[in-house]
Amino acid sequence: MFDTALSSTRFIGESEPKVDKCNEQSNKTCDVCIKMDGCSFCEKTKECMTFDTVKSIIHKTCEDQDWKYKQCILSGKVLIIALPVAGFVVLVALGCCIYCCCCRKKKKRGPGKEEAKWRRQREEIEIKHSERREERQKKHDEIRKKYGLYRKDADSEEPEDGRYHRFENAAVA
């Protein structure tokens, strides 16, 4: 008698046994089942069950991953594949937009460091070429002078009198 009195009394804060509201919607349509918060619908067995990600995906509570959650159009196996792929595509597109908007604008603002460095190097090379050209011209002029083929001015092609002149070396004689 004492055991019966204890078992029939409830303690404060203890709730009544939970009734699964999703299982009550079994053998009804998908629309009725998914309207209940937290319920998913198994298409093969026409069973409405509480949606648990781990049980539904990993333990495959529904055959062929043919469950529907919050919509009756796409099955679970499509959602498992399509949502991550769509998320990846959105992230790649977002990354491309950020690169195009931020990184490429910096290059357009003015000549970059590399371009300035290239220009400086090119100018140095041109200066060296002009110096070498002048040195060669001086050597050629000295040789022409030595053999008597010196031109009247630097632009003319003819020697002073148009003839070959023998070089007279005063030091040798």
Side-chain angles (χ1 to χ4, degrees):
M1 182 162 169
F2 183 70
D3 291 331
T4 315
L6 268 179
S7 62
S8 63
T9 29
R10 288 185 296 177
F11 294 103
I12 299 173
E14 187 178 307
S15 61
E16 298 207 12
K18 291 186 178 181
V19 178
D20 192 2
K21 61 182 177 180
C22 295
N23 281 341
E24 293 175 357
Q25 304 299 326
S26 290
N27 295 324
K28 294 184 181 177
T29 64
C30 176
D31 292 326
V32 172
C33 177
I34 63 166
K35 284 181 183 175
M36 302 294 291
D37 190 37
C39 295
S40 65
F41 184 75
C42 182
E43 194 70 41
K44 294 249 181 186
T45 60
K46 306 287 185 208
E47 182 182 353
C48 189
M49 56 192 152
T50 305
F51 182 75
D52 182 16
T53 309
V54 175
K55 287 182 183 176
S56 297
I57 296 172
I58 297 174
H59 298 302
K60 299 181 182 177
T61 55
C62 186
E63 245 181 84
D64 296 333
Q65 296 286 347
D66 203 14
W67 46 267
K68 316 269 193 219
Y69 181 65
K70 292 194 177 184
Q71 46 80 32
C72 290
I73 299 170
L74 299 173
S75 68
K77 59 185 166 190
V78 173
L79 292 175
I80 291 172
I81 295 168
L83 290 179
V85 168
F88 178 75
V89 168
V90 167
L91 287 175
V92 167
L94 184 65
C96 289
C97 290
I98 290 172
Y99 171 75
C100 290
C101 293
C102 298
C103 299
R104 294 185 78 194
K105 280 185 180 178
K106 289 180 182 177
K107 292 179 182 177
K108 291 180 182 179
R109 288 183 183 159
K113 292 179 182 178
E114 292 178 19
E115 192 174 327
K117 181 180 176 182
W118 180 80
R119 283 184 184 153
R120 271 187 270 112
Q121 287 177 346
R122 189 72 200 148
E123 288 172 1
E124 290 172 4
I125 290 171
E126 287 179 12
I127 291 170
K128 286 180 184 177
H129 283 292
S130 64
E131 288 173 357
R132 288 180 187 155
R133 193 177 307 118
E134 288 174 10
E135 287 176 20
R136 273 195 317 271
Q137 188 65 38
K138 285 180 183 177
K139 285 183 183 178
H140 288 180
D141 288 344
E142 288 174 9
I143 292 171
R144 284 188 187 107
K145 195 174 192 180
K146 179 179 177 181
Y147 292 104
L149 299 172
Y150 193 75
R151 299 183 210 150
K152 293 179 187 176
D153 54 28
D155 294 335
S156 87
E157 291 290 327
E158 299 177 9
E160 288 181 86
D161 60 357
R163 297 184 316 184
Y164 173 77
H165 297 282
R166 184 176 176 155
F167 178 72
E168 300 287 331
N169 194 353
V172 177

